[in-house]
Amino acid sequence: MRIGVMAPARGLDPARAAEVEAFVALTFPDVELVVHRQCFLSDGHFAGPDAARAAAFLDLANDPAIDAIWFARGGYGSNRILSRVMPELGPAARDKAYCGYSDTGFLLGALYARGVGRPVHGPMPIDLGRAGGDVTVTRSLAWLTRGARAGLEPSLGGRPAAAFNLAILAGMIGTPWLPDLADHVLMIEEVSEPLYRIDRMLFQMAHATQLKGLAGVRLGAVRDVQANDPPWGETLESMMARWCGEMGVPYLGRAEIGHDADNRVVPFGLA
Amino acid sequence: MRIGVMAPARGLDPARAAEVEAFVALTFPDVELVVHRQCFLSDGHFAGPDAARAAAFLDLANDPAIDAIWFARGGYGSNRILSRVMPELGPAARDKAYCGYSDTGFLLGALYARGVGRPVHGPMPIDLGRAGGDVTVTRSLAWLTRGARAGLEPSLGGRPAAAFNLAILAGMIGTPWLPDLADHVLMIEEVSEPLYRIDRMLFQMAHATQLKGLAGVRLGAVRDVQANDPPWGETLESMMARWCGEMGVPYLGRAEIGHDADNRVVPFGLA
């Protein structure tokens, strides 16, 4: 099995890439990891210019010899290649999985909106650097290689699901890149935001015309919450209940996704 | 002429309110400023609970003896009263102007979307505290009281327009609160954001299905830009040209709006 790695947003440190290659060689000996050299480009904020990131994605997506694309890491920038890559996807792109989270949710969402391949929210190569990161990245690798269910988000089953970073979800609302999530359980997680911004994004989610008909919403980890001035004075649970109430959709409780080592795998659709 | 003041987001300091009342008494003696006591409530982040802010807005909007509502200040929270207030607006609400900017753009946009009254982007009472703030707030007062054009954004004329803080505009995209801006010149401004976030919001604007058919986009002041890690390396002019190009809408250059003393008046629609 051949898994291609490219970086649609920020780049991957070559040393980290070497660690990931060594880890995969040891733990998944039947996997050939194809790390696209684009991962190591640098252009300001990004792993190379938009054109280079788009070309690398298409190299791997349209290659019938690649079984899955594992996004190297997030950051910011996946949205900037959507217009370039989505119209250029050929038949080989439909027959593979795409795994990542955070900023790469722009690509997962756009692929799911068009029914291309099997988008999967899951840990990325960069996560090997976390404490316990070997367990973390194994969840994605085990799902991609043998459909192992041990790393799946525990509430999954029975209903289709999708998982997004809240800021990325909010940034897709009102655009054609947001998939139809009717009857899906939507899982959201967040990192490095103050609570007033989280509240504003939940407002947008709750009022989004495109998100009518969700089966329910679950909240993943909310990490590194930034200071709110003045103090916010409301719990995340209360915020979720309030906005889901305004949305007319059940708040189903917590989900084990997030920007941390506990991040689990959420295949888009039925798992 | 009676101008009502209420605070849909954060509260107004009583001392500032007294200054504004004194200023208006001196410079616009024919204006009776009706400062709703809700302005001085405090509930965590907000000028009172959602219910109190909504009730104050409706008190003034539905009062036939009030000719205009001048929002006291922004902050965060105007979005949280939309569902409560918009269905409750009566005939008197249609016959008045509503003036503010920043977070209060949620209300201006929702009112414009439903054709209620005359929403106006313009300086607010809080702006009297800026250096040169007397000139700043006079622009709004002179427009509201006698339709004075001296304080209008200088590029206005001929085509309908609307002005928003970019984060507020982005937060309305995909919801029923965003007005139809076909054939409008859209002016945007921003404050306290890093450039990668501005880029992400411009992406959403450029790809928003609801914003197809704009006559053009103008960029106002972008203040207090937060550090970007790594450095962004692209000018705002280049970003505007790039995203307007992807949107298929002309970038028309700068506009004199923003979170500063130079902020001008932009009546929604034809001025």
Side-chain angles (χ1 to χ4, degrees):
Chain A
M1 172 160 195
R2 300 179 83 222
I3 298 179
V5 176
M6 62 77 54
R10 287 184 82 160
L12 195 62
D13 184 64
R16 176 76 63 212
E19 279 175 32
V20 174
E21 289 181 301
F23 176 78
V24 170
L26 199 67
T27 54
F28 291 84
D30 51 338
V31 168
E32 182 188 350
L33 208 63
V34 181
V35 179
H36 200 291
R37 63 184 179 279
Q38 170 271 330
C39 289
F40 311 124
L41 296 180
S42 177
D43 183 45
H45 202 98
F46 307 105
D50 293 348
R53 303 197 315 285
F57 178 77
L58 290 171
D59 282 351
L60 296 173
N62 287 332
D63 183 347
I66 296 286
D67 301 292
I69 293 183
W70 198 20
F71 297 122
R73 68 179 295 190
Y76 170 68
S78 303
N79 56 332
R80 292 170 50 125
I81 67 170
L82 292 176
S83 292
R84 294 172 189 257
V85 304
M86 294 306 296
E88 304 299 329
L89 293 172
R94 305 197 160 266
D95 197 31
K96 49 174 61 83
Y98 300 83
C99 182
Y101 69 103
S102 192
D103 185 77
T104 74
F106 280 118
L107 280 158
L108 301 180
L111 290 161
Y112 196 57
R114 281 151 189 73
V116 176
R118 301 180 302 283
V120 183
H121 164 105
M124 299 184 286
I126 188 79
D127 291 307
L128 187 60
R130 297 185 187 273
D134 51 347
V135 174
T136 307
V137 300
T138 294
R139 295 188 194 113
S140 291
L141 288 163
W143 171 259
L144 292 173
T145 54
R146 51 180 192 262
R149 302 184 65 85
L152 292 186
E153 202 287 327
S155 72
L156 288 176
R159 284 189 292 201
F164 286 98
N165 174 270
L166 178 57
I168 303 308
L169 175 76
M172 302 181 86
I173 288 174
T175 78
W177 310 116
L178 185 71
D180 180 357
L181 296 176
D183 301 324
H184 286 57
V185 173
L186 171 62
M187 302 183 187
I188 52 176
E189 55 85 23
E190 196 46 274
V191 64
S192 299
E193 298 282 0
L195 288 169
Y196 89 89
R197 283 185 186 264
I198 291 176
D199 198 66
R200 194 165 68 191
M201 293 188 284
L202 291 174
F203 155 82
Q204 188 170 20
M205 177 192 81
H207 288 259
T209 305
Q210 289 166 303
L211 292 177
K212 300 294 177 200
L214 289 178
V217 178
R218 284 185 178 273
L219 180 66
V222 180
R223 294 276 168 191
D224 302 331
V225 175
Q226 302 295 296
N228 208 84
D229 175 32
W232 183 253
E234 188 185 16
T235 65
L236 281 163
E237 292 292 317
S238 166
M239 292 162 68
M240 291 303 297
R242 183 165 48 74
W243 285 118
C244 287
E246 190 148 325
M247 195 179 195
V249 158
Y251 171 52
L252 302 172
R254 304 305 297 250
E256 292 186 24
I257 61 165
H259 277 67
D260 56 31
D262 295 330
N263 191 22
R264 300 293 189 111
V265 172
V266 181
F268 280 42
L270 283 165
Chain B
M1 171 158 196
R2 301 178 83 223
I3 298 179
V5 176
M6 61 77 54
R10 287 184 83 159
L12 194 62
D13 184 62
R16 176 77 64 214
E19 279 175 31
V20 173
E21 289 180 299
F23 177 77
V24 169
L26 197 68
T27 54
F28 290 84
D30 52 337
V31 168
E32 183 189 347
L33 209 62
V34 181
V35 179
H36 200 292
R37 63 185 181 280
Q38 169 271 329
C39 289
F40 312 123
L41 296 180
S42 176
D43 183 43
H45 201 99
F46 308 105
D50 294 347
R53 303 197 314 284
F57 178 76
L58 290 172
D59 282 350
L60 296 174
N62 288 333
D63 183 346
I66 296 285
D67 301 294
I69 293 183
W70 198 20
F71 297 121
R73 68 180 294 191
Y76 170 68
S78 303
N79 56 332
R80 292 169 51 125
I81 66 170
L82 292 176
S83 292
R84 294 172 189 257
V85 303
M86 295 305 296
E88 305 300 330
L89 293 172
R94 304 196 162 268
D95 196 31
K96 50 175 62 78
Y98 300 83
C99 182
Y101 68 102
S102 192
D103 185 76
T104 74
F106 279 118
L107 279 159
L108 301 180
L111 289 162
Y112 196 57
R114 279 148 191 75
V116 176
R118 301 180 302 284
V120 183
H121 163 106
M124 298 184 286
I126 188 79
D127 292 308
L128 186 60
R130 298 185 187 273
D134 51 348
V135 174
T136 307
V137 300
T138 295
R139 293 189 195 112
S140 290
L141 288 164
W143 171 257
L144 292 174
T145 53
R146 52 180 190 261
R149 303 184 65 85
L152 292 186
E153 203 287 327
S155 72
L156 288 176
R159 283 188 293 201
F164 286 99
N165 173 269
L166 177 58
I168 303 307
L169 175 76
M172 303 181 86
I173 289 174
T175 77
W177 310 116
L178 184 71
D180 180 357
L181 297 176
D183 301 325
H184 286 56
V185 173
L186 172 62
M187 302 183 187
I188 52 175
E189 55 86 23
E190 195 47 274
V191 64
S192 299
E193 297 282 359
L195 288 168
Y196 89 89
R197 281 183 188 265
I198 292 176
D199 198 68
R200 195 166 65 190
M201 293 188 284
L202 291 174
F203 155 81
Q204 188 170 18
M205 177 192 80
H207 288 259
T209 305
Q210 288 165 303
L211 292 176
K212 299 294 177 200
L214 288 179
V217 180
R218 284 186 179 272
L219 180 66
V222 180
R223 295 273 168 192
D224 301 330
V225 175
Q226 302 295 296
N228 207 85
D229 175 30
W232 184 254
E234 187 184 16
T235 66
L236 281 163
E237 292 293 317
S238 166
M239 290 162 69
M240 291 302 298
R242 181 165 49 74
W243 285 117
C244 287
E246 189 148 326
M247 195 178 194
V249 159
Y251 171 52
L252 301 172
R254 302 307 294 252
E256 292 186 23
I257 61 164
H259 276 68
D260 57 31
D262 296 329
N263 191 22
R264 300 292 190 110
V265 172
V266 181
F268 280 42
L270 281 166

